[in-house]
Amino acid sequence: MTGTCTVRVAAMDPSPFEKALELAPDAEGRLRGVIPEGWLVVVGVHGGLISALLTRAASLAAGPDRSLRSITVHFVRPAKPGGVTISTEVVREGSGLTNLSLRLEQSHGTVALALAAAGLDRESDSHDRLAIPEVAAPEDLDSIPYIEGVMPQFMAHADFRPAGGGGPGNPSASGDAEVVAWMRPMGDAPLDHAAIAFLSDAAWPTVFALKGEISGAPTIDLTIHFRDSLRSVAEDGWVLGRFESRLVRDGHFEEDGILWSRDGRVLAHSRQLALVLPLPAGGNIRPTG
């Protein structure tokens, strides 16, 4: 099993998502890349892209024989378009598990810190009570059209098709803070663990489903448990995500997510803690640098 296995044939030219994840080693053994323009949210670069960059770096540091199992990202300050440097340290490499720490930096300081683990498959009994929700197929649903200047820029890079729950202007009928949607990166990006990290944070925040209202929701930390090697995911790359929050209090909310393949296999669990903030004047999610 490998941590960077791809299951879709990439286009001749890299997709914008893959372009944003390009990393190359420097003379000091760190990884360097460039975040392009066009990935902002309200303030700063989308956290899902930052998580994807750190996931890609962790997979590279762990090596091809060990698949990424877990990553926890703490967001220190907003990222900006431009150069990034990622330092990785193999804290311990055991017979079946590698533990890593990572730091993503830009010219204005540390942007994010992460701990990750990669390991080999192990023999065990199986138990799965996480059935994929019964929803319409993605081809039978409408994609959310990107509206420049109104929606966060990163949404131009994700094909997002709501399949249940609620969202902006559409409170959840059950009153729950729940979002269900089919998702995939735009442009035939391969569905690897970095793409799963991006999709774990690509849906609108679950608090939007409570009243159908929009607020700021910057992530404090995000943990992703990768539960599949991604070797045999359908070539169209669709992932169904179900996200819910069960506690919103004191300006914070937790959000738990599960991502399934089209054939019902759990690909990943995610959990994040985020803030609930008032929007800037004007009410729209307008990206700012």
Side-chain angles (χ1 to χ4, degrees):
M1 183 187 341
T2 68
T4 57
C5 178
T6 62
V7 294
R8 299 170 68 194
V9 178
M12 187 66 68
D13 296 321
S15 69
F17 177 66
E18 276 295 292
K19 193 72 177 174
L21 293 185
E22 290 180 349
L23 295 170
D26 65 13
E28 299 178 18
R30 300 171 299 183
L31 294 169
R32 291 186 178 272
V34 177
I35 297 175
E37 298 284 348
W39 286 90
L40 297 177
V41 190
V42 179
V43 177
V45 172
H46 177 233
L49 181 66
I50 300 303
S51 296
L53 277 164
L54 287 162
T55 297
R56 176 65 55 83
S59 292
L60 291 171
D65 296 327
R66 301 198 172 192
S67 183
L68 201 63
R69 303 293 179 173
S70 171
I71 189 166
T72 297
V73 181
H74 282 259
F75 299 91
V76 178
R77 56 171 53 87
K80 300 178 180 180
V84 300
T85 301
I86 302 178
S87 303
T88 63
E89 178 189 358
V90 176
V91 179
R92 181 179 183 273
E93 185 170 6
S95 60
L97 191 69
T98 300
N99 299 97
L100 307 106
S101 66
L102 304 98
R103 178 187 296 264
L104 188 149
E105 297 176 289
Q106 292 190 295
S107 59
H108 60 292
T110 298
V111 168
L113 302 168
L115 294 175
L120 306 174
D121 268 348
R122 297 176 182 270
E123 293 293 330
S124 72
D125 294 333
S126 294
H127 176 70
D128 186 352
R129 296 188 63 184
L130 297 175
I132 187 170
E134 295 183 4
V135 298
E139 54 268 20
D140 296 327
L141 298 169
D142 294 329
S143 180
I144 296 294
Y146 174 67
I147 305 173
E148 187 174 358
V150 174
M151 299 169 69
Q153 292 177 347
F154 84 89
M155 292 191 74
H157 305 296
D159 193 341
F160 180 73
R161 304 190 181 190
N170 179 34
S172 172
S174 66
D176 295 328
E178 180 185 44
V179 177
V180 182
W182 289 101
M183 303 175 292
R184 63 180 177 182
M186 288 289 199
D188 277 341
L191 189 62
D192 59 6
H193 288 122
I196 291 294
F198 169 64
L199 295 176
S200 293
D201 198 31
W204 49 57
T206 49
V207 289
F208 292 10
L210 286 174
K211 296 181 179 179
E213 298 174 351
I214 298 173
S215 63
T219 303
I220 296 172
D221 65 73
L222 171 64
T223 294
I224 305 162
H225 294 156
F226 303 97
R227 304 305 307 274
D228 195 271
S229 67
L230 307 181
R231 282 181 170 175
S232 57
V233 177
E235 290 188 1
D236 61 12
W238 284 113
V239 170
L240 182 69
R242 179 181 180 272
F243 305 91
E244 66 172 338
S245 176
R246 290 168 291 182
L247 181 64
V248 182
R249 190 169 65 197
D250 300 329
H252 296 74
F253 69 99
E254 107 291 341
E255 184 173 292
D256 291 318
I258 304 175
L259 299 181
W260 286 269
S261 63
R262 283 191 77 142
D263 62 1
R265 287 180 295 113
V266 174
L267 303 179
H269 302 278
S270 66
R271 166 168 271 228
Q272 62 176 286
L273 182 67
L275 299 171
V276 183
L277 301 176
L279 282 179
N284 291 327
I285 300 183
R286 297 184 182 276
T288 59

